[in-house]
């Protein structure tokens, strides 16, 4: 029994009293079809009415009442045929009632900002992207880092990264360079939004050890350069996200002042320091460092003063940069799942909700995005984060399926059936509105570059890029991936962008450009439903669609060509003709389409009336 519930209009229509839902089935005779929901935490079944056909499928409809006591509202479908039960939940079909965590879910109030779905993000590690003003660059020996034992080192642009100096070597990239690169990013590549790694005052090149939350590091251009960058991006219709590091500070922040760099009486210098309770100290007077790193003292949100400084006060850090002249569009929160009260993440959900509330007070369309290396379902139910850096639900399975390695760099060749099941499970446990604003990525400043993981195999990289731009969520390009920049594990993944176009992987670059253009041209790739069509052997195929338009992607990771016959009858819309992006017609039979996939390649099919 085939069952389908697309989680977009017109198959899901919100109303004041509830949500009009559509279930699609392959037949209708002899079926008992019900919508199951849980108002007041008690199971309730609502009969669904057969209302006609939807292409080759049968349509059943019912109205789901909003759950007045819980958000999100959860639901699933139950179909009985000749005494046999079929259940449909967010992660697929079941033979028995699914667990609540597997059910479809939708929020009445806490929905992500609508603009996010339409973006193509580009992540920039500022010191390594582009130098705009050489006079701003850090000079060798200019200062000592951290405790004062390590002098900073200036490197020539493009020199190899030294793994022994992960925090203290500088290449001179700055925000002036970012601004001067906007023509390349927007007009040539097609990027619409930037996510910048930390830019506030810090002695390190990565700047995850903040020393001043209210000033952009002068070596990156200072506050004036951020204001100028933001202003130009707004003129261009682009969006800007900054990195919020509020789980911890650096030891040289005036609040902490471990090494006496400031005139302040820091938390480590006296138990009477005004900032003492902003950090966690045990009974013996030892402070807690993030993940055991004593250079990153953890903040303690049980302190009212800290809460006011970070998010609650009238000029709190998170509010300050949302306002003119900076007017950023949201924050990416570093290790957001770890912050809280005391030495751990106590009361974490409360503070993430408070962050969201504060940002939405400043801008009702602010984007709240969290960093989670692992599964993040509970933060993505609508009331906390709009989306996450989607490592678990996208980067990890794609890495295992195409690169044969897991996030710990252990060998892991993922079966295609399991690959599809992983995607379905992760996607099905959060509201689809939030799935569409997940930040999908292949790699980042914290991971080896995907191109390196696949052994610089351009065809394998192109498969990954196709998934990046077609899968539900917002694609994010890590700077340099589009030109074939290589890099191993941190810090090697933070190499300088190579501006010599003679060194670029042009085939890969053109592929990025083509996929970005296709995503912008096809609304189903930004707003549409998702449906797996085939998962077997080395082949995976899926469709993205709205009521009006549909795209089908078929990928072959194997070393041999593969003929695939895809079932189009399972889609809730009918297209008379199918073609590739270049316009070539594709032969098909009623309800099916057959295509040949060359080795390590993909085919894109676009439905046309």
């Amino acid at each position: 029994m085939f069952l389908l519930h697309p989680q977009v209009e017109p198959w899901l229509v919100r109303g004041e009293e509830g949500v009009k839902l559509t279930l699609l089935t392959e037949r209708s005779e002899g079926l008992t079809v019900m919508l199951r929901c849980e108002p007041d935490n008690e199971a309730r079944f609502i009969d669904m009415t057969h209302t006609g056909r939807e292409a080759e499928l049968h349509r059943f409809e019912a109205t789901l009442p909003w759950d007045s006591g819980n958000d999100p509202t959860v639901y699933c479908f139950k179909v009985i045929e000749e005494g046999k039960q079929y259940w449909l939940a967010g992660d697929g079909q079941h033979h028995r009632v699914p667990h609540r965590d597997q059910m479809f879910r939708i929020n009445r109030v806490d929905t992500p900002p609508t603009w996010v779905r339409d973006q193509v993000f580009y992540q920039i590690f500022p010191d390594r992207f582009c130098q705009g003003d050489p006079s701003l660059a850090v000079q060798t020996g200019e200062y000592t880092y951290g405790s004062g034992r390590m002098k900073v080192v200036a490197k020539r642009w493009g020199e190899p990264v030294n793994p022994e100096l992960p925090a203290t070597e500088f290449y001179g990239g700055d925000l002036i360079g970012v601004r001067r690169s906007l023509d390349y990013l927007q007009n040539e590549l097609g990027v619409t939004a930037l996510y910048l790694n930390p830019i506030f005052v810090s002695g390190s090149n990565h700047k995850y050890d903040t020393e001043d939350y209210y000033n952009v590091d002068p070596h990156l251009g200072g506050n004036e350069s951020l204001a100028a960058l933001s202003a130009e991006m707004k003129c261009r219709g682009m969006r800007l996200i900054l990195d919020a590091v509020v789980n911890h500070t650096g030891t040289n922040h005036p609040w902490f002042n471990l090494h006496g760099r400031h005139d302040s009486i820091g938390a480590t210098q006296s138990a009477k320091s005004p900032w003492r309770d902003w950090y966690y100290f045990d009974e013996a007077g030892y402070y807690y460092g993030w993940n055991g790193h004593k250079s990153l003292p953890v903040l303690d949100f049980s302190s009212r003063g800290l809460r006011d400084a970070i998010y609650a006060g009238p000029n709190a850090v998170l509010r300050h940069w949302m306002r003119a002249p900076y007017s950023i569009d949201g924050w990416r929160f570093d290790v957001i799942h770890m912050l809280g009260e005391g030495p751990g993440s106590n009361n974490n959900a409360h503070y993430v909700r408070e962050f969201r509330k504060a940002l939405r007070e400043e801008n009702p369309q602010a984007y709240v995005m969290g960093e989670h290396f692992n599964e993040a379902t509970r933060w993505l139910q609508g009331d906390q984060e709009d989306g996450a850096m989607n490592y678990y639900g996208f980067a990890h399975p794609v890495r295992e399926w195409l690169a044969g390695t897991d996030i710990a760099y252990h060998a892991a060749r993922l079966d295609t059936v399991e690959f599809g099941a992983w995607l379905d499970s992760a996607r099905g446990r959060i509201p689809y509105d939030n799935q569409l604003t997940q930040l999908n990525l292949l790699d980042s400043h914290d991971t080896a570059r995907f191109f390196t993981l696949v052994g610089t195999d351009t065809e394998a990289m192109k498969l990954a890029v196709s998934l990046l731009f077609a899968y539900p969520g917002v694609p994010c390009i890590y700077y340099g991936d589009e030109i074939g920049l290589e890099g191993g594990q941190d810090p090697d993944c933070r190499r300088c962008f190579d501006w010599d176009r003679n060194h670029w992987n042009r085939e890969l670059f053109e592929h990025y450009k083509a996929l970005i253009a296709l995503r912008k041209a096809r609304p189903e790739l930004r707003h549409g439903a998702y449906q797996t069509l085939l998962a077997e052997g080395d082949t995976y195929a899926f469709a993205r669609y709205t009521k009006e338009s549909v795209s089908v992607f078929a990928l072959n990771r194997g070393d041999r060509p593969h003929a695939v016959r895809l079932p189009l009858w399972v889609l809730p819309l009918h297209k008379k003709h199918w073609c590739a992006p270049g316009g070539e017609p594709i032969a098909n039979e009623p309800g099916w389409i057959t295509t040949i996939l060359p080795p390590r390649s993909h085919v894109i099919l676009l439905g046309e009336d």
Side-chain angles (χ1 to χ4, degrees):
M1 171 69 71
F2 175 75
L3 305 175
L4 175 66
H5 169 55
Q7 297 175 72
V8 298
E9 291 189 357
W11 305 285
L12 183 154
V13 181
R14 296 168 179 269
E16 284 297 319
E17 302 301 320
V19 188
K20 184 180 178 181
L21 300 177
T22 297
L23 177 70
L24 301 168
T25 66
E26 63 179 293
R27 51 185 176 270
S28 62
E29 293 297 322
L31 300 186
T32 300
V33 182
M34 292 170 280
L35 167 66
R36 182 192 184 278
C37 52
E38 296 186 358
D40 303 318
N41 296 323
E42 180 67 23
R44 176 184 172 190
F45 288 91
I46 300 172
D47 290 334
M48 301 192 73
T49 303
H50 184 260
T51 58
R53 300 290 292 269
E54 197 92 30
E56 301 300 317
L57 302 173
H58 291 265
R59 182 177 61 243
F60 289 83
E61 294 180 336
T63 297
L64 169 73
W66 289 112
D67 188 336
S68 60
N70 301 286
D71 210 10
T73 294
V74 302
Y75 62 97
C76 63
F77 301 95
K78 179 180 182 180
V79 177
I80 302 175
E81 182 183 40
E82 296 181 350
K84 186 174 182 179
Q85 294 188 3
Y86 303 87
W87 294 80
L88 182 66
D91 63 341
Q93 290 191 210
H94 298 258
H95 294 296
R96 56 181 174 80
V97 60
H99 192 281
R100 192 178 194 277
D101 289 346
Q102 299 168 306
M103 294 183 185
F104 294 106
R105 50 201 58 235
I106 183 171
N107 284 296
R108 186 177 189 178
V109 177
D110 293 320
T111 56
T114 55
W115 60 267
V116 177
R117 302 179 183 184
D118 290 315
Q119 306 309 306
V120 174
F121 271 89
Y122 193 87
Q123 180 190 350
I124 291 176
F125 193 90
D127 182 60
R128 311 293 163 83
F129 180 60
C130 183
Q131 184 178 68
D133 185 350
S135 70
L136 299 176
V138 172
Q139 301 300 309
T140 296
E142 179 179 339
Y143 61 88
T144 54
Y145 171 69
S147 63
R149 292 190 298 269
M150 299 178 66
K151 291 184 178 181
V152 295
V153 178
K155 303 287 288 286
R156 292 193 307 273
W157 195 263
E159 276 192 282
V161 174
N162 184 349
E164 302 300 320
L165 301 173
T168 57
E169 55 182 12
F170 292 81
Y171 291 83
D174 53 39
L175 298 188
I176 295 90
V178 174
R179 184 183 175 194
R180 291 179 180 175
S181 303
L182 291 179
D183 274 344
Y184 161 71
L185 292 169
Q186 182 184 42
N187 299 336
E188 189 171 354
L189 184 58
V191 166
T192 66
L194 299 184
Y195 150 46
L196 304 183
N197 284 110
I199 60 174
F200 302 119
V201 173
S202 161
S204 69
N205 54 41
H206 56 72
K207 306 205 176 303
Y208 281 97
D209 49 353
T210 311
E211 295 182 24
D212 183 349
Y213 284 111
Y214 289 96
N215 282 290
V216 174
D217 197 296
H219 290 294
L220 296 178
N223 292 3
E224 297 79 7
S225 293
L226 178 62
L229 174 63
S230 177
E232 180 158 347
M233 289 182 68
K234 283 190 171 11
C235 287
R236 292 169 173 263
M238 300 179 75
R239 302 283 184 162
L240 177 62
I241 303 297
L242 297 184
D243 211 323
V245 187
V246 294
N247 172 72
H248 51 266
T249 68
T251 53
N252 283 322
H253 195 292
W255 299 344
F256 203 72
N257 205 17
L258 177 63
H259 305 294
R261 299 284 182 89
H262 306 281
D263 294 334
S264 60
I265 301 175
T268 56
Q269 296 168 310
S270 171
K272 296 182 180 180
S273 168
W275 302 287
R276 179 75 173 190
D277 68 345
W278 293 24
Y279 298 87
Y280 177 76
F281 291 84
D282 65 18
E283 294 180 356
Y286 294 105
Y287 66 91
Y288 183 77
W290 170 77
N291 231 16
H293 297 287
K294 302 300 283 186
S295 62
L296 302 173
V298 169
L299 293 165
D300 184 352
F301 279 87
S302 65
S303 167
R304 174 61 183 271
L306 176 65
R307 297 196 298 270
D308 286 343
I310 297 298
Y311 69 87
N315 195 35
V317 171
L318 298 180
R319 297 176 183 271
H320 175 78
W321 300 101
M322 301 289 294
R323 299 170 183 166
Y326 314 106
S327 305
I328 68 169
D329 296 289
W331 291 97
R332 176 266 194 190
F333 286 90
D334 183 58
V335 294
I336 192 171
H337 52 287
M338 300 182 75
L339 61 83
E341 300 171 356
S345 57
N346 296 327
N347 218 9
N348 175 266
H350 167 75
Y351 294 109
V352 180
R353 292 187 187 102
E354 289 296 300
F355 291 171
R356 178 188 182 85
K357 178 182 177 183
L359 298 191
R360 292 299 172 85
E361 288 173 355
E362 297 297 327
N363 177 358
Q365 287 289 302
Y367 182 33
V368 183
M369 189 253 291
E371 179 205 22
H372 302 269
F373 255 85
N374 298 301
E375 185 269 330
T377 300
R378 56 180 159 151
W379 288 273
L380 294 167
Q381 296 305 303
D383 61 335
Q384 296 182 58
E385 300 170 22
D386 298 311
M389 295 185 77
N390 197 14
Y391 286 106
Y392 178 80
F394 182 78
H396 292 187
V398 171
R399 174 187 285 204
E400 292 194 19
W401 191 62
L402 287 175
T405 179
D406 67 11
I407 193 63
Y409 303 98
H410 299 148
R413 185 68 170 175
L414 189 64
D415 176 85
T416 301
V417 173
E418 290 303 316
F419 171 66
W422 188 338
L423 294 177
D424 291 345
S425 176
R427 188 179 64 250
R429 282 172 163 78
I430 66 174
Y432 196 65
D433 285 336
N434 292 85
Q435 177 61 46
L436 291 173
T437 53
Q438 288 273 67
L439 194 82
N440 292 337
L441 68 164
L442 296 174
D443 46 27
S444 75
H445 63 292
D446 284 325
T447 72
R449 289 186 180 265
F450 200 91
F451 194 42
T452 296
L453 290 175
V454 295
T456 66
D457 182 335
T458 297
E459 296 306 321
M461 185 69 183
K462 287 166 63 178
L463 287 176
V465 173
S466 297
L467 283 167
L468 178 66
F469 284 93
Y471 193 72
V474 186
C476 183
I477 306 165
Y478 183 42
Y479 79 96
D481 277 358
E482 75 277 16
I483 63 170
L485 189 61
E486 297 179 46
Q489 297 182 45
D490 173 17
D492 191 47
C493 56
R494 303 171 183 182
R495 298 182 189 181
C496 294
F497 189 96
D498 189 346
W499 289 100
D500 185 344
R501 292 176 180 247
N502 292 320
H503 298 161
W504 290 13
N505 184 321
R506 296 301 306 190
E507 181 181 352
L508 186 58
F509 181 69
E510 294 301 324
H511 186 67
Y512 268 93
K513 287 178 59 177
L515 266 294
I516 291 172
L518 182 67
R519 179 181 172 84
K520 289 180 176 180
R522 306 291 296 193
E524 66 269 25
L525 299 183
R526 293 174 278 121
H527 306 281
Y530 180 89
Q531 191 170 335
T532 303
L533 299 178
L534 180 69
E536 64 179 27
D538 288 321
T539 304
Y540 186 73
F542 60 91
R544 296 291 308 279
Y545 57 89
T546 64
K547 180 64 174 176
E548 291 79 25
S549 58
V550 57
S551 298
V552 170
F553 284 70
L555 301 93
N556 176 16
R557 70 173 180 180
D559 294 327
R560 297 180 179 180
H562 189 196
V564 293
R565 186 168 179 259
L566 303 176
L568 301 185
W569 66 267
V570 300
L571 298 174
L573 68 169
H574 176 69
K575 295 296 180 181
K576 295 180 180 179
H577 306 288
W578 292 83
C579 67
E584 302 87 350
I586 305 295
N588 63 294
E589 58 186 290
W592 298 83
I593 193 166
T594 301
T595 187
I596 303 296
L597 295 176
R600 297 196 336 280
S601 71
H602 74 284
V603 170
I604 304 172
L605 307 174
L606 308 178
E608 305 291 347
D609 291 323

